[in-house]
């Protein structure tokens, strides 16, 4: 989903990003219904008129925020896994990168969960984009003989579910188990399963 205007200068892009960052904070803290454009612009340090240069409405900034959160997370995951020599190593480092990201962006869970009700298309696109990329990576790993054959689509959604739930446990429920311990335990499960 495209915003109303694409910034033409570095300053404009910085302003647009400040608005998105403020929206993340305000909507993530107060919820979509209780957040206002006034709250967002106050947090961003800009005038309401400036908001409307980049976004037509609160609905539009929210939809773009969901897209942006996905984009930032995918970038963090790419960086976390770029040096991984194989798929199983990538799983481990990807989970570590995911948990690190959501810990630094605790509002992600509220924003994405609210998207289910506020903008179901953005919610679906957020997860589908991750699943599509994940499925392709698993197909490549299968073809390269790095993992045993299996349904890459089911596996993608299953692995996403593991990460999502472990992140929620840490961020939403406040579990303080160290990330490294969680990653080791989850990775053992991913690699070895439950079978004796």
């Amino acid at each position: 989903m495209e915003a109303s205007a694409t910034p033409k200068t570095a300053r404009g892009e910085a302003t647009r990003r400040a608005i998105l960052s403020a929206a993340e904070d305000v909507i993530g803290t107060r919820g979509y219904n209780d957040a206002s454009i006034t709250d967002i612009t106050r947090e961003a340090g800009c005038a309401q008129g400036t908001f409307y240069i980049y976004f037509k409405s609160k609905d539009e900034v929210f939809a773009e925020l969901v897209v942006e959160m996905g984009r930032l997370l995918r970038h963090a995951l790419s960086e976390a896994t770029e040096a991984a020599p194989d798929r199983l190593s990538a799983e481990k480092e990807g989970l570590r990168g995911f948990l690190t990201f959501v810990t630094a962006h605790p509002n992600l869970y509220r924003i994405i969960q609210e998207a289910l009700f506020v903008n179901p298309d953005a919610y679906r696109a957020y997860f589908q984009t991750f699943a599509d990329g994940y499925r392709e990576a698993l197909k490549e790993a299968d073809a390269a003989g790095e993992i045993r054959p299996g349904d890459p689509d089911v596996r993608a959604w299953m692995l996403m579910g593991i990460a999502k739930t472990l992140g929620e446990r840490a961020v939403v429920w406040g579990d303080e188990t160290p990330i490294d311990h969680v990653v080791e335990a989850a990775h053992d499960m991913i690699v070895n399963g439950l079978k004796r």
Side-chain angles (χ1 to χ4, degrees):
M1 184 172 291
E2 291 296 317
S4 298
T6 301
K8 294 177 175 49
T9 65
R11 183 177 177 196
E13 180 58 28
T15 300
R16 183 178 174 284
R17 291 209 171 276
I19 293 169
L20 281 170
S21 179
E24 176 186 349
D25 185 51
V26 172
I27 295 171
T29 302
R30 299 180 188 183
Y32 178 83
N33 289 331
D34 292 335
S36 69
I37 291 172
T38 301
D39 297 329
I40 293 169
T41 55
R42 185 180 306 121
E43 180 74 20
C46 68
Q48 277 197 355
T50 303
F51 175 93
Y52 289 106
I53 292 171
Y54 301 103
F55 303 100
K56 294 176 186 169
S57 64
K58 184 171 80 168
D59 289 343
E60 187 175 272
V61 76
F62 181 74
E64 180 60 25
L65 178 59
V66 172
V67 170
E68 180 68 5
M69 294 299 288
R71 188 179 304 124
L72 290 172
L73 177 52
R74 285 190 304 279
H75 177 74
L77 294 175
S78 291
E79 286 188 338
T81 59
E82 68 185 350
D86 55 50
R87 185 71 235 165
L88 293 178
S89 299
E91 290 301 325
K92 187 175 192 177
E93 295 314 312
L95 181 57
R96 187 185 322 278
F98 176 80
L99 294 173
T100 301
F101 182 90
V102 297
T103 300
H105 296 270
N107 291 326
L108 172 73
Y109 277 93
R110 183 169 194 172
I111 290 165
I112 300 305
Q113 192 59 37
E114 289 213 21
L116 174 59
F117 305 100
V118 174
N119 191 326
D121 290 340
Y123 179 84
R124 183 181 182 101
Y126 174 87
F127 286 105
Q128 193 64 57
T129 301
F130 278 103
D132 291 346
Y134 217 148
R135 182 180 59 248
E136 293 310 308
L138 291 170
K139 281 183 183 177
E140 290 172 13
D142 183 353
E146 295 177 354
I147 59 175
R148 64 185 174 86
D151 186 318
D153 196 50
V154 171
R155 285 177 169 181
W157 285 95
M158 182 205 66
L159 291 165
M160 286 167 44
I162 290 171
K164 179 180 182 284
T165 305
L166 290 174
E168 189 172 40
R169 176 178 178 240
V171 174
V172 177
W173 304 115
D175 182 77
E176 296 181 3
T177 305
I179 288 175
D180 286 343
H181 175 80
V182 173
V183 168
E184 291 299 330
H187 191 252
D188 176 67
M189 175 68 175
I190 290 165
V191 172
N192 299 309
L194 291 174
K195 190 174 181 180
R196 289 182 62 130

